[in-house]
Amino acid sequence: MAHARSHLGRSIAAHAALIAYTVIALFPVFVIVINSFKSRKAIFADPLALPGPGTFDLVGYQTVMKQGDFLLYFQNSMIVTCASLFCVLLFGAMAAFALSEYRFRGNLLMGLYLALGIMIPIRLGTVAILEIMVASGLVNTLTALILVYTAQGLPLSVFILSEFMKSVSDDLKNAGRIDGLSEYAIFFRLVLPLVRPAMATVAVFTMIPIWNDLWFPLILAPAEETKTVTLGAQVFIGQFVTNWNAVLAALSLAILPVLVLYLVFSRQLIRGITAGAVK
Amino acid sequence: MGALELKGITKRFGATEVIKGVDLRVEDGEFCVFVGPSGCGKSTLLRIIAGLEDASAGDILLDGVRVNDVAPARRELAMVFQSYALYPHLTVRDNMGLALKQAGIGKAEIRAATDKAAQMLALEPLMDRRPAELSGGQRQRVAIGRAIVRTPKLFLFDEPLSNLDAALRVATRIEIARLHRDLGATMIYVTHDQVEAMTLADRIVVLRAGKVEQTGRPMDLYNDPDNLFVAGFIGSPQMNFLNAPALSAPGATLGVRPEHLQVSRSAGAIEGQVSHVEKLGGETLAYVKSALHGLLTLRLFGEHDFIMGETLYLSPEPQRQFHFDAEGLRLRIV
Ligand SMILES: Nc1ncnc2c1ncn2[C@@H]1O[C@H](COP(=O)(O)OP(=O)(O)OP(=O)(O)O)[C@@H](O)[C@H]1O
Ligand SMILES: [Mg+2]
């Protein structure tokens, strides 16, 4: 009985701490979302108030929609994020499998080389990257962004996935070999399903910086037809006048797709963890 | 079909030589057991036979055909792993049928083969479950079933029973013995367990540090070991090694099994004090500390009472002594 009560007490304390953290973490998001539904005057009068009958205003969303190409910006962001994510996960997993599974000369060096990118920010190479893109005629294309983001995401992906793949039982892979599965089948059908939680983690860590990035869209693809959402939202931020309604509305909208993607992956992540626990 | 021959197999991982020249012939239909201390290369040798590792040197012949460069799936062998290694996302039926499916065999035939194997191992009620929904013993039976389905020339078992509890181990051991009789296939079996080795094997191969120490029928190894290592390794509890010069016996070491020591409270060759007694019901093990020979094990049939610290006199049975020279090689004195 005493044991049960102390258990309850501990769980209340844990939940209180987690709830407090959640409130703090979500507060800025909350402020952005409520203010995006208010008129300009109401935003500045009382930023923390909820939108009420007098202050509710969709002018921000109307501006964003009228600004023409926001749907296109969204589409661009989605294409770039999803394509980069796909490449990072696929190539990262393949490299990780090779590094963890096969003994070959230079295995360790190759692993270190691929992990080096975690420590060196890719932005240091911006000038060179721009030169390459100009030379290959990829400026102002989504391809340029996808390539850069793939390069940016690969090191962490290879590093995390190879650690996880080392933990996949050798016996299982060997059983597959004896049963006549090709190395590709072993990779796709045995190993990938088992490292799904790790893939979801990598996906979340890779996706958010890509979606939020302003730097490379601005430098490599600033043209109207290749703008991403974050770059598109910048038109409302002027040096002297900023259209706060529109900025907040654009940001609120930009949260949605990434939230959906996150939910998809986190469901995978949880499923992977519980599957392991039941086994 | 199913004879295996190894010729001068060596295996190096980097600079360390793990298998140091193994020559071995396993006849068709034979049940061959590899035993040896941990890390001596049993699993490595098995993986080389399966084709999961390349040998650094030497030839592997199956039915007289060199298979060094043949892929594992084409060597017509099946392997059962210590960790079961079932495919977690497939049902029992699909686990068992995968190899046939990969070989391009028709659905009806696969179904017939899996049903037959399931019937042999009493797996019928489990066919649509996934490995996560099975107990350890059931998983191991599925793993064995997966091996049977392929009707291989050669079965390889790598410590298949070591994750099971004692009762299940006995049941599965008997099952494997029955399978060997029914299928008549060649089997190579790695184990740490004395009882498994002695009861299952037609022939035991004792390995030590990547080398074959001795091969022979279980009772030949027990009654006629070639050297100190094999004498100590086969038989449980371990053989006692006595100081030969102190007993004015030939050689450096005199070996005698715990069951071949005669005990007396009045007189005998070796004097010692009882330091521990284990009563197992059917037999009694007494540990006797002797100044000249160290701790000796004594095995007596039935129940016996000893007082702790009591002085006993032990005498090796004359016909049951083994003599070894300083290098540990057996001196066969007639
Ligand atoms: N991939 C590898 N790289 C380097 N050394 C290895 C590798 N695999 C095995 N070894 C070494 O080879 C030796 C033999 O290993 P092996 O697994 O064959 O032993 P074993 O006889 O099966 O032992 P156990 O009874 O504990 O299973 C060990 O010393 C081990 O450290
Ligand atoms: Mg082993």
Side-chain angles (χ1 to χ4, degrees):
Chain A
M1 197 60 213
H3 177 77
R5 196 174 302 139
S6 86
H7 187 76
L8 188 70
R10 223 171 340 162
S11 118
I12 288 175
H15 277 86
L18 290 174
I19 288 168
Y21 179 75
T22 312
V23 168
I24 294 169
L26 285 183
F27 187 70
V29 179
F30 176 71
V31 172
I32 289 175
V33 174
I34 55 170
N35 282 311
S36 72
F37 289 105
K38 296 198 298 201
S39 61
R40 186 179 173 84
K41 222 185 243 147
I43 294 174
F44 286 101
D46 189 356
L48 294 183
L50 290 173
T55 54
F56 182 78
D57 198 340
L58 285 176
V59 65
Y61 289 91
Q62 282 154 1
T63 322
V64 169
M65 289 306 160
K66 253 188 289 174
Q67 195 68 34
D69 284 334
F70 240 75
L71 221 56
L72 179 69
Y73 300 163
F74 262 109
Q75 194 187 322
N76 288 340
S77 273
M78 279 309 264
I79 292 175
V80 168
T81 306
C82 290
S84 313
L85 204 53
F86 177 79
C87 293
V88 167
L89 288 180
L90 180 70
F91 297 131
M94 286 173 126
F97 184 69
L99 287 176
S100 64
E101 184 60 18
Y102 304 120
R103 282 191 296 269
F104 54 89
R105 202 180 296 272
N107 183 320
L108 192 68
L109 274 181
M110 183 64 102
L112 278 177
Y113 169 71
L114 286 176
L116 215 59
I118 299 173
M119 288 155 266
I120 301 174
I122 194 170
R123 290 180 187 194
L124 287 183
T126 303
V127 174
I129 291 175
L130 184 59
E131 275 171 3
I132 295 172
M133 294 303 172
V134 169
S136 51
L138 287 174
V139 174
N140 280 330
T141 62
L142 296 180
T143 317
L145 291 179
I146 293 170
L147 289 176
V148 171
Y149 290 139
T150 304
Q152 173 186 306
L154 272 177
L156 192 67
S157 154
V158 171
F159 184 71
I160 293 180
L161 290 177
S162 63
E163 285 309 307
F164 270 81
M165 286 191 186
K166 272 179 203 151
S167 71
V168 173
S169 137
D170 279 339
D171 284 355
L172 190 68
K173 290 175 272 194
N174 285 339
R177 289 192 181 108
I178 289 181
D179 276 350
L181 297 181
S182 66
E183 293 299 311
Y184 285 100
I186 287 170
F187 172 67
F188 282 112
R189 291 181 26 205
L190 295 183
V191 175
L192 275 195
L194 289 178
V195 297
R196 214 169 45 189
M199 301 275 282
T201 313
V202 170
V204 170
F205 278 122
T206 310
M207 170 181 80
I208 312 251
I210 296 177
W211 182 268
N212 289 342
D213 192 36
L214 183 59
W215 180 264
F216 284 113
L218 189 62
I219 292 166
L220 296 179
E224 190 56 26
E225 64 274 18
T226 53
K227 261 186 192 161
T228 59
V229 168
T230 19
L231 187 55
Q234 301 304 310
V235 296
F236 305 116
I237 300 180
Q239 196 175 356
F240 306 108
V241 194
T242 294
N243 186 342
W244 284 108
N245 295 81
V247 170
L248 292 174
L251 287 177
S252 300
L253 285 175
I255 293 171
L256 285 179
V258 81
L259 194 66
V260 170
L261 278 181
Y262 176 78
L263 286 179
V264 169
F265 288 122
S266 68
R267 165 107 23 109
Q268 284 289 318
L269 208 145
I270 290 164
R271 195 186 299 160
I273 289 168
T274 47
V278 170
K279 218 182 289 168
Chain B
M1 43 153 277
L4 170 78
E5 197 172 348
L6 301 180
K7 283 186 185 164
I9 296 290
T10 59
K11 175 71 189 174
R12 274 183 295 274
F13 287 115
T16 49
E17 197 167 41
V18 172
I19 305 286
K20 299 166 186 163
V22 168
D23 294 292
L24 185 68
R25 220 188 127 71
V26 181
E27 301 300 336
D28 181 29
E30 198 174 21
F31 200 118
C32 179
V33 173
F34 290 177
V35 295
S38 191
C40 71
K42 304 180 295 289
S43 301
T44 306
L45 196 56
L46 213 57
R47 285 208 302 274
I48 290 173
I49 296 171
L52 299 168
E53 297 272 6
D54 291 326
S56 306
D59 290 330
I60 307 145
L61 289 88
L62 267 174
D63 288 333
V65 181
R66 187 173 178 275
V67 293
N68 285 40
D69 304 317
V70 178
R74 300 175 158 262
R75 294 192 183 188
E76 296 181 63
L77 44 78
M79 189 156 174
V80 177
F81 298 88
Q82 179 177 6
S83 60
Y84 320 129
L86 299 176
Y87 309 119
H89 56 299
L90 297 182
T91 62
V92 169
R93 181 178 295 286
D94 292 341
N95 258 287
M96 288 167 60
L98 184 69
L100 298 184
K101 195 171 145 202
Q102 289 300 122
I105 288 171
K107 272 210 176 88
E109 248 175 287
I110 294 179
R111 183 139 193 126
T114 49
D115 281 344
K116 189 166 157 233
Q119 193 215 333
M120 286 178 96
L121 293 162
L123 288 172
E124 287 113 328
L126 310 175
M127 291 306 268
D128 295 316
R129 297 212 201 156
R130 279 168 204 268
E133 301 157 354
L134 301 175
S135 74
Q138 290 168 337
R139 280 180 214 179
Q140 193 54 283
R141 291 220 305 282
V142 173
I144 294 172
R146 182 171 66 180
I148 296 175
V149 165
R150 318 185 51 196
T151 54
K153 286 181 182 174
L154 180 62
F155 283 89
L156 306 175
F157 295 90
D158 194 354
E159 306 194 31
L161 308 186
S162 53
N163 284 343
L164 304 181
D165 68 44
L168 213 49
R169 212 184 276 196
V170 174
T172 317
R173 192 175 81 213
I174 293 171
E175 196 127 301
I176 290 176
R178 186 176 56 82
L179 278 176
H180 180 239
R181 271 196 309 275
D182 291 354
L183 300 172
T186 316
M187 296 189 173
I188 297 179
Y189 189 104
V190 170
T191 182
H192 271 123
D193 188 305
Q194 290 277 331
V195 183
E196 280 172 31
M198 300 302 266
T199 55
L200 287 171
D202 293 323
R203 202 149 58 100
I204 294 181
V205 176
V206 183
L207 290 165
R208 177 200 196 182
K211 274 199 161 122
V212 175
E213 288 284 315
Q214 191 177 355
T215 71
R217 288 179 302 174
M219 283 308 126
D220 291 347
L221 294 189
Y222 181 83
N223 290 320
D224 191 14
D226 277 346
N227 54 46
L228 204 66
F229 179 78
V230 175
F233 201 80
I234 301 287
S236 162
Q238 212 193 19
M239 184 184 277
N240 293 304
F241 294 117
L242 313 175
N243 185 344
L247 295 164
S248 46
T253 310
L254 175 79
V256 60
R257 297 202 181 272
E259 52 269 42
H260 299 143
L261 276 171
Q262 285 164 349
V263 61
S264 151
R265 286 201 160 86
S266 50
I270 306 157
E271 181 188 332
Q273 281 73 41
V274 176
S275 72
H276 184 65
V277 178
E278 291 175 342
K279 291 189 188 174
L280 304 174
E283 63 185 29
T284 304
L285 300 179
Y287 298 91
V288 176
K289 206 168 174 65
S290 141
L292 280 175
H293 307 284
L295 192 67
L296 304 180
T297 315
L298 173 65
R299 184 184 198 179
L300 298 166
F301 190 72
E303 235 179 281
H304 295 264
D305 284 313
F306 295 104
I307 304 158
M308 230 26 80
E310 171 183 21
T311 301
L312 292 180
Y313 296 92
L314 309 176
S315 326
E317 288 178 21
Q319 300 309 314
R320 301 287 203 162
Q321 300 178 2
F322 302 97
H323 304 281
F324 302 97
D325 68 13
E327 265 80 62
L329 286 179
R330 174 89 180 278
L331 297 168
R332 288 193 164 86
I333 299 154
V334 187

